[in-house]
Structures are given as C-alpha cells and as structure tokens.
Amino acid sequence: MTQAEIKLCSLLLQEHFGEIVEKIGVHLIRTGSQPLRVIAHDTGTSLDQVKKALCVLIQHNLVIYQVHKRGVVEYEAQCSRVLRMLRYPRYIYTAKTLYSDTGELIVEELLLNGKMTMSAVVKKVADRLTETMEDGKTMDYSEVSNTFVRLADTHFVQRCPWVPVTENSDPGPPPPAPILIISEKDMYLVPKLSLIGKGKRRRSSDEDAAGEPKAKRPKHGTDNKEPIPDDGIYWQANLDRFHQHFRDQAIVSAVANRMDQTSSEIVRTMLRMSEITTPSTAPFTQPLSSNEIFRSLPVGYNISKQVLDQYLTLLADDPLEFVGKSGDSGGGMYVINLHKALGSLATATLESVVQERFGSRCARIFRLVLQKKHLEQKQVEDFAMIPAKEAKDMLYKMLSENFISLQVGCQ
C-alpha cells in the first residue's frame, strides 16, 4: 500500500471515528495482522481503549479477526474497505435514485452505523422522515419496511454473519473468539416482522416545559418495554452490489453512446433481469431468450418483437461484442459478455487519458500497440503514418510514463 493511500486512510478514519480509532487502524494498516496486546504495546494505548477501537472498526467491517491454532486472536485492517468510505455519498445517492428518500435514509443509517437490526432501521428512518413532513403527517413503519424488503430483494442490503446456536452439552471453555457463519440462502432472507406504528417527532424544549415532567415520561417506556422482534439479526449495506450497479450503468451508457437509446434500453433490461442471478465476478450474464427479454421491456416501450430481434442481432454482430448469442431456443438465447464490456471500457478510458496527456498522435500510436500487441519502431512509423523522429519522441514519452513497455527480442 502506498504512503498516499495510508495517509488517505488515516484522514478518513480520523474524520469518521476520532483519533484513537485512527491510531489503531493506521497501525494495523502499516504492520498487518497483530494480537491485542501487541497492538496496545506498540501504540502506547491502554487495553480498554484498544478494545473499544477494535469494536468500532469491526462494527464497520474495517477490521477482521482470525483465530490461530494456539488460540491467539489476530486483527487485520481491510484497507480497501476503508477507502470505500469515499464512495459513501455515491452509494446513498444511488439508493435515493432507485428507492426515493426512504431508500436513501435506510442505506445512510446502515453506512453510518455499520450493522443494525431491521426494526431499529425502520423506526429510525420513520422518525427522520416524519421530522421532514408537514405538521400532522407521519411516516408509517410499514412503508419503510416495504422499502427495506425491496432493498433486500435486490441485494443492496444483506444479513451479517451470526454465531450459530449450539446446545450446551459441551462443558469445555468457550472459544477465544466467536466463529460467524451465514448461508447463501439466508443472506437476503427478511424476517417476518409486524412493525406497527408511525414515526415520532422530537419534543422541543418548549413542549417539555409545558408538558409532563421529564421524570415521569421515561417510566411509561420502561414498564411496557417489549422484546426486540428481530434481536440478533443484523443487516449491512452490500457494497459489492452497488459496484455491480455502477458497472451495469457504465455498460448501458457505453451502448447508448455507440448505438442508440433503444439498444441501451434492451441491454439495461437484460442486465436488470440477471442482476440477482449472476454473480458480480461472472464473465457472462445468465442466458436470456428473446421472448423473455421482450416480455420484460419497460411498460410503454413500444417496439415489436421483430424490431427487438433485429436490435439483438445488431448488438451480437457489433465488433465490441458486448452482447453474444449462445443458442437458438426461445427465439434466440443472448448473454452480455461482462468481461469483454469492462475490457472495452477500460481500453477507452486509457486511450482518453493518453490523448489528454500526450495528444492525438500519441493516442493513435497507443491504439495501434493495443491492437497489434507487439510492434517494432519502424512498423509504428509506417502504420501510424508519422515521421520517424516524431514517432521516436512519442514512444519515449509513453515509455517513460509506463504507458507502454519495451521488449527486447532474441536473435
């Protein structure tokens, strides 16, 4: 990890969690995994403060722990996860775009708190939405709960691993650290809760003075305190799913720029149909038939089945190969080549960077080297139609900036 990245992690941790958490987090980033007492000794921090700092970092998935054979627990910082804190505003804005203000606040609460139960999120979000409404209007818990279920159904939020319940037949000592597990089928399973109620507004100081004495009000809450219906079932934001959404949006935008809006809408529909069934690391989406795609097009998108088939054929024949044909059943089976699409997007970004930094002629040479893989200097001059001296200068510039590399051939 570079010094600039470590400094950025340090600033992020200090801004969000304070100096002590920042000291422990940066120490783990620099040194790697370490046990508790070594962390306390090396940082000059008391054991109690180190424990509290590690609790905060684990709560926000910024540190993981591992039990070794001798029972020693070591803690390790997740640097990439710390840097993702820079994208929190983008995650929240995406949730707002897809699921309105309610989705925005649900994701914001999960990001700010790390892990929360569904009932706690629903009540907190309902209260926050009620605060923004006109007097006399309130947000019902059921509305927030429905949005939470939609976020779980589309995998934008997921359950956290939990400690499995075991029978107390083994009287042996407890493990040095809990072992957390979760199965794939339970990861997005929403518990059946009957959350009945509405959001509450905060009482102002004037209302407190005019209303009941402050000493009386807490008693009502403690006498009728009910158990939490989903106690122990915690949820977190699924950041990988947000990244998958960003990738899909980039692919749709690239298709729209290369072809037209109808083509991009067809690709968007295919990605939406396979967003849950296709893992984020898969090279292709699940095969989809032409008939399935036609039925799943947005309501009011008036194109005939024949026109759809023509567009799919056009997309499959495009040199970029974003869409591929995998069979003929169901009017034709089509997939989106995710790896090919991402490779093309990365190539286009690289070409744009080279053009901005070195000019259009360097971009032409760079594009040639990308296409041909290996070229001698004389071949670069001939193919790019650039004078020898200029071609040599441009190749040296890109070589010195590590955009291209030199391979010495053997006689």
Side-chain angles (χ1 to χ4, degrees), residues 110-300:
L110 289 174
L111 290 173
L112 290 176
N113 294 281
K115 302 176 179 71
M116 293 180 74
T117 61
M118 177 181 170
S119 56
V121 173
V122 168
K123 291 173 183 176
K124 185 73 179 290
V125 170
D127 290 347
R128 289 183 63 183
L129 288 171
T130 300
E131 287 284 340
T132 63
M133 291 180 170
E134 299 175 4
D135 290 341
K137 292 185 177 180
T138 55
M139 173 58 68
D140 199 278
Y141 286 170
S142 61
E143 291 184 45
V144 182
S145 183
N146 290 338
T147 304
F148 192 101
V149 171
R150 289 166 60 202
L151 281 163
D153 288 344
T154 49
H155 297 187
F156 283 102
V157 298
Q158 61 183 15
R159 278 193 186 191
C160 303
W162 65 78
V163 180
V165 179
T166 56
E167 297 180 2
N168 296 327
S169 57
D170 185 12
I179 299 172
L180 307 177
I181 61 168
I182 190 168
S183 61
E184 186 72 28
K185 63 182 180 65
D186 293 333
M187 198 171 285
Y188 306 103
L189 183 64
V190 180
K192 294 181 179 178
L193 303 177
S194 56
L195 295 173
I196 302 171
K198 297 180 183 294
K200 298 178 179 62
R201 298 178 189 271
R202 293 179 185 174
R203 288 178 177 268
S204 65
S205 56
D206 294 338
E207 289 173 332
D208 286 338
E212 295 180 63
K214 291 183 180 180
K216 285 186 179 179
R217 278 190 283 111
K219 282 190 177 182
H220 300 304
T222 53
D223 291 343
N224 301 322
K225 193 170 185 180
E226 297 179 2
I228 301 171
D230 56 344
D231 190 23
I233 303 175
Y234 288 89
W235 292 81
Q236 61 189 354
N238 183 4
L239 304 189
D240 289 337
R241 177 67 183 87
F242 281 97
H243 294 163
Q244 182 182 335
H245 177 76
F246 300 155
R247 177 204 67 191
D248 292 349
Q249 292 299 102
I251 292 172
V252 170
S253 178
V255 173
N257 291 335
R258 182 171 177 82
M259 303 180 77
D260 63 2
Q261 195 63 36
T262 303
S263 299
S264 69
E265 195 58 50
I266 292 169
V267 171
R268 188 196 306 275
T269 301
M270 294 175 68
L271 289 167
R272 190 176 65 248
M273 292 171 68
S274 57
E275 63 186 0
I276 304 303
T277 57
T278 303
S280 58
T281 56
F284 300 93
T285 60
Q286 296 291 331
L288 299 168
S289 70
S290 172
N291 295 330
E292 288 177 313
I293 298 168
F294 181 70
R295 287 195 297 269
S296 299
L297 284 171
V299 178

Side-chain angles (χ1 to χ4, degrees), residues 323-335:
V323 176
K325 191 171 184 179
S326 62
D328 296 315
S329 59
M333 302 294 290
Y334 295 89
V335 298

